[in-house]
PDB file of all heavy atoms in Angstrom:
ATOM      1  N   VAL A 209      44.845 -37.688  30.949  1.00  0.00           N
ATOM      2  CA  VAL A 209      45.323 -38.467  29.800  1.00  0.00           C
ATOM      3  C   VAL A 209      45.042 -39.949  30.024  1.00  0.00           C
ATOM      4  O   VAL A 209      44.549 -40.644  29.120  1.00  0.00           O
ATOM      5  CB  VAL A 209      46.831 -38.236  29.569  1.00  0.00           C
ATOM      6  CG1 VAL A 209      47.384 -39.239  28.562  1.00  0.00           C
ATOM      7  CG2 VAL A 209      47.066 -36.812  29.069  1.00  0.00           C
ATOM      8  N   ALA A 210      45.346 -40.450  31.212  1.00  0.00           N
ATOM      9  CA  ALA A 210      45.093 -41.860  31.523  1.00  0.00           C
ATOM     10  C   ALA A 210      43.604 -42.187  31.402  1.00  0.00           C
ATOM     11  O   ALA A 210      43.233 -43.247  30.870  1.00  0.00           O
ATOM     12  CB  ALA A 210      45.595 -42.180  32.927  1.00  0.00           C
ATOM     13  N   GLN A 211      42.758 -41.291  31.867  1.00  0.00           N
ATOM     14  CA  GLN A 211      41.308 -41.511  31.775  1.00  0.00           C
ATOM     15  C   GLN A 211      40.855 -41.560  30.317  1.00  0.00           C
ATOM     16  O   GLN A 211      39.995 -42.378  29.958  1.00  0.00           O
ATOM     17  CB  GLN A 211      40.563 -40.407  32.522  1.00  0.00           C
ATOM     18  CG  GLN A 211      40.688 -40.489  34.031  1.00  0.00           C
ATOM     19  CD  GLN A 211      40.096 -39.277  34.738  1.00  0.00           C
ATOM     20  OE1 GLN A 211      40.080 -38.165  34.184  1.00  0.00           O
ATOM     21  NE2 GLN A 211      39.639 -39.470  35.961  1.00  0.00           N
ATOM     22  N   ALA A 212      41.429 -40.695  29.472  1.00  0.00           N
ATOM     23  CA  ALA A 212      41.056 -40.676  28.062  1.00  0.00           C
ATOM     24  C   ALA A 212      41.503 -41.953  27.357  1.00  0.00           C
ATOM     25  O   ALA A 212      40.749 -42.529  26.564  1.00  0.00           O
ATOM     26  CB  ALA A 212      41.666 -39.448  27.378  1.00  0.00           C
ATOM     27  N   VAL A 213      42.715 -42.398  27.639  1.00  0.00           N
ATOM     28  CA  VAL A 213      43.210 -43.641  27.030  1.00  0.00           C
ATOM     29  C   VAL A 213      42.342 -44.816  27.480  1.00  0.00           C
ATOM     30  O   VAL A 213      41.976 -45.687  26.691  1.00  0.00           O
ATOM     31  CB  VAL A 213      44.688 -43.891  27.385  1.00  0.00           C
ATOM     32  CG1 VAL A 213      45.150 -45.244  26.844  1.00  0.00           C
ATOM     33  CG2 VAL A 213      45.573 -42.772  26.824  1.00  0.00           C
ATOM     34  N   MET A 214      41.993 -44.833  28.749  1.00  0.00           N
ATOM     35  CA  MET A 214      41.111 -45.860  29.296  1.00  0.00           C
ATOM     36  C   MET A 214      39.761 -45.863  28.565  1.00  0.00           C
ATOM     37  O   MET A 214      39.235 -46.915  28.172  1.00  0.00           O
ATOM     38  CB  MET A 214      40.910 -45.605  30.791  1.00  0.00           C
ATOM     39  CG  MET A 214      39.693 -46.232  31.407  1.00  0.00           C
ATOM     40  SD  MET A 214      39.807 -48.003  31.593  1.00  0.00           S
ATOM     41  CE  MET A 214      38.080 -48.373  31.945  1.00  0.00           C
ATOM     42  N   ALA A 215      39.193 -44.688  28.358  1.00  0.00           N
ATOM     43  CA  ALA A 215      37.905 -44.572  27.667  1.00  0.00           C
ATOM     44  C   ALA A 215      38.015 -45.095  26.240  1.00  0.00           C
ATOM     45  O   ALA A 215      37.099 -45.763  25.740  1.00  0.00           O
ATOM     46  CB  ALA A 215      37.437 -43.117  27.672  1.00  0.00           C
ATOM     47  N   GLY A 216      39.130 -44.792  25.579  1.00  0.00           N
ATOM     48  CA  GLY A 216      39.332 -45.273  24.217  1.00  0.00           C
ATOM     49  C   GLY A 216      39.450 -46.786  24.160  1.00  0.00           C
ATOM     50  O   GLY A 216      38.902 -47.429  23.248  1.00  0.00           O
ATOM     51  N   ILE A 217      40.146 -47.365  25.114  1.00  0.00           N
ATOM     52  CA  ILE A 217      40.289 -48.824  25.170  1.00  0.00           C
ATOM     53  C   ILE A 217      38.930 -49.481  25.391  1.00  0.00           C
ATOM     54  O   ILE A 217      38.576 -50.472  24.732  1.00  0.00           O
ATOM     55  CB  ILE A 217      41.272 -49.217  26.284  1.00  0.00           C
ATOM     56  CG1 ILE A 217      42.692 -48.745  25.941  1.00  0.00           C
ATOM     57  CG2 ILE A 217      41.263 -50.732  26.507  1.00  0.00           C
ATOM     58  CD1 ILE A 217      43.675 -48.899  27.087  1.00  0.00           C
ATOM     59  N   ALA A 218      38.156 -48.941  26.323  1.00  0.00           N
ATOM     60  CA  ALA A 218      36.834 -49.495  26.612  1.00  0.00           C
ATOM     61  C   ALA A 218      35.935 -49.443  25.382  1.00  0.00           C
ATOM     62  O   ALA A 218      35.216 -50.407  25.077  1.00  0.00           O
ATOM     63  CB  ALA A 218      36.200 -48.731  27.773  1.00  0.00           C
ATOM     64  N   ARG A 219      35.990 -48.340  24.673  1.00  0.00           N
ATOM     65  CA  ARG A 219      35.172 -48.220  23.459  1.00  0.00           C
ATOM     66  C   ARG A 219      35.619 -49.222  22.394  1.00  0.00           C
ATOM     67  O   ARG A 219      34.790 -49.820  21.712  1.00  0.00           O
ATOM     68  CB  ARG A 219      35.290 -46.791  22.914  1.00  0.00           C
ATOM     69  CG  ARG A 219      34.479 -46.578  21.643  1.00  0.00           C
ATOM     70  CD  ARG A 219      34.637 -45.176  21.119  1.00  0.00           C
ATOM     71  NE  ARG A 219      34.078 -45.049  19.779  1.00  0.00           N
ATOM     72  CZ  ARG A 219      34.220 -43.981  19.004  1.00  0.00           C
ATOM     73  NH1 ARG A 219      34.885 -42.916  19.465  1.00  0.00           N
ATOM     74  NH2 ARG A 219      33.701 -43.944  17.796  1.00  0.00           N
ATOM     75  N   TYR A 220      36.926 -49.426  22.281  1.00  0.00           N
ATOM     76  CA  TYR A 220      37.440 -50.393  21.299  1.00  0.00           C
ATOM     77  C   TYR A 220      36.873 -51.786  21.552  1.00  0.00           C
ATOM     78  O   TYR A 220      36.420 -52.465  20.620  1.00  0.00           O
ATOM     79  CB  TYR A 220      38.962 -50.430  21.361  1.00  0.00           C
ATOM     80  CG  TYR A 220      39.575 -51.627  20.668  1.00  0.00           C
ATOM     81  CD1 TYR A 220      39.692 -51.667  19.281  1.00  0.00           C
ATOM     82  CD2 TYR A 220      40.002 -52.726  21.405  1.00  0.00           C
ATOM     83  CE1 TYR A 220      40.245 -52.773  18.652  1.00  0.00           C
ATOM     84  CE2 TYR A 220      40.556 -53.833  20.784  1.00  0.00           C
ATOM     85  CZ  TYR A 220      40.661 -53.853  19.404  1.00  0.00           C
ATOM     86  OH  TYR A 220      41.187 -54.957  18.774  1.00  0.00           O
TER      87      TYR A 220
END
Side-chain angles (χ1 to χ4, degrees):
V209 169
Q211 289 172 330
V213 175
M214 159 72 193
I217 293 171
R219 179 181 169 189
Y220 165 78

